[in-house]
Amino acid sequence: MKAIEENVNDWSDRVHKSVRKLQRQFQAIGMTPKRHIENNRLSEMLSLFESTSSLSLEDIALKCGYKTYGAFQQTCIRRFDMSPRKLLKEIIASEDSK
C-alpha cells in the first residue's frame, strides 16, 4: 500500500517544492494540498472498508495516515456527515444488498 503523506510540509519536502509553490499549483485547479491529502486518505479508507473486515477502525485510521482515531472520526463526520463506524455499516449493508 502506498504511504499517505502525513502533512503538507512532509509532502513539500518529498517533492522538493515549497509549501507555497504547492499551494499555488493546487489553487490553479481549485484545491488545496491539504484537501488533496485528505481526499487520498479518504479514498484509501473506502478501499479498506470495502476490502477487509479484519482491521479495526483504529487500524484503518492509522493505515490512512491519521495520527489519532479522533482526527479520523472528525474528518469522516465533516466529509460524510457520519462517524466511520456508521459509514462502514452503510457500506456493508449496500454490499449485502447487491
Side-chain angles (χ1 to χ4, degrees), residues 38-94:
E38 184 176 277
N39 288 348
N40 286 345
R41 288 176 174 172
L42 293 174
S43 178
E44 181 67 16
M45 174 204 68
L46 292 172
S47 293
L48 289 169
F49 276 3
E50 292 171 351
S51 67
T52 184
S53 60
S54 61
L55 293 174
S56 70
L57 289 172
E58 291 79 7
D59 288 338
I60 289 173
L62 293 174
K63 283 191 172 289
C64 292
Y66 291 94
K67 292 184 179 184
T68 66
Y69 179 75
F72 175 63
Q73 185 174 33
Q74 287 175 347
T75 300
C76 283
I77 290 169
R78 182 170 35 80
R79 293 288 294 275
F80 300 109
D81 202 28
M82 63 181 76
S83 71
R85 192 166 314 283
K86 185 174 180 183
L87 181 60
L88 178 57
K89 285 179 183 178
E90 289 202 7
I91 289 171
I92 291 170
S94 72

Side-chain angles (χ1 to χ4, degrees), residues 22-44:
L22 280 175
Q23 289 170 333
R24 282 193 307 270
Q25 289 175 326
F26 274 91
Q27 187 176 29
I29 61 169
M31 187 182 290
T32 65
K34 183 177 178 180
R35 177 66 93 167
H36 178 74
I37 291 170
E38 184 176 277
N39 288 348
N40 286 345
R41 288 176 174 172
L42 293 174
S43 178
E44 181 67 16

Side-chain angles (χ1 to χ4, degrees), residues 7-19 22:
N7 61 48
V8 176
N9 291 327
D10 292 341
W11 192 26
S12 72
D13 290 343
R14 191 170 58 81
V15 298
H16 308 289
K17 293 185 180 185
S18 70
V19 171
L22 280 175

